[in-house]
């Protein structure tokens, strides 16, 4: 039978996973294809959406860490939790500042084609790693 902390950890993990999948892999790419959405409008919306997502992710990560720490989890749960939290921290502390500088420049009128940035690719790559870690975490906690 699943413990209360494992149940909470798995529920929070899958909510976190769902939010990342919905925003990063559905909303973000689709918004730029919507009629009338220019790059500046899309960037303005994206900044607000990702700020809210990242704040929500930080709260969910903290909840997962607390519930995992409240039990005696297997090593796989600890590693998956650490990977997901570390990736989120890297996105917030390392990649997001570069993305913000880039979007500030575009919103100030700079042509986005003039200076390409790899920060977006790094963010997406980290999202893929985070999704894998969250799937592993949720499944490992449930199998626990």
């Amino acid at each position: 039978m699943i413990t209360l902390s494992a149940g909470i950890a798995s529920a929070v993990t899958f909510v976190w996973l769902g939010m990342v999948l919905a925003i990063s892999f559905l909303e973000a790419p689709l918004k730029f294809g919507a009629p009338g959405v220019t790059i500046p409008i899309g960037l303005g919306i994206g900044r607000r959406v990702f700020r809210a997502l990242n704040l929500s992710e930080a709260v969910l990560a903290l909840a997962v860490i607390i519930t995992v720490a409240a039990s005696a989890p297997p090593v796989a749960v600890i590693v998956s939790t650490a990977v997901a939290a570390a990736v989120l921290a890297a996105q917030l502390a390392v990649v997001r500042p570069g993305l913000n500088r880039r979007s500030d420049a575009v919103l100030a009128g700079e042509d986005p084609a003039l200076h390409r940035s790899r920060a977006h690719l790094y963010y997406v790559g980290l999202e893929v790693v985070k999704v894998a870690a969250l799937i592993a975490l949720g499944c490992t906690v449930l199998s626990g």
Side-chain angles (χ1 to χ4, degrees):
M1 181 156 175
I2 196 165
T3 66
L4 179 60
S5 63
I8 292 169
S10 65
V12 172
T13 297
F14 286 121
V15 167
W16 182 4
L17 174 63
M19 291 177 71
V20 169
L21 292 173
I23 298 299
S24 294
F25 297 104
L26 284 177
E27 183 275 339
L30 290 175
K31 109 175 117 246
F32 287 100
V37 176
T38 62
I39 289 177
I41 289 171
L43 286 175
I45 294 167
R47 286 172 66 143
R48 292 191 70 155
V49 168
F50 275 90
R51 189 176 305 126
L53 172 64
N54 292 152
L55 177 61
S56 299
E57 285 186 280
V59 170
L60 294 170
L62 184 59
V64 169
I65 291 166
I66 290 169
T67 56
V68 165
S71 62
V75 172
V77 170
I78 294 169
V79 170
S80 298
T81 301
V83 169
V87 167
L88 176 61
Q91 287 176 306
L92 297 177
V94 178
V95 183
R96 276 292 300 275
L99 286 172
N100 287 341
R101 283 190 299 276
R102 177 79 175 128
S103 62
D104 286 343
V106 172
L107 291 172
E110 181 181 298
D111 182 356
L114 290 179
H115 300 92
R116 295 284 181 191
S117 169
R118 293 183 187 256
H120 186 256
L121 296 176
Y122 297 140
Y123 193 91
V124 172
L126 288 170
E127 285 290 71
V128 171
V129 172
K130 185 169 55 183
V131 163
L134 290 171
I135 292 170
L137 174 60
C139 292
T140 306
V141 168
L142 284 176
S143 70

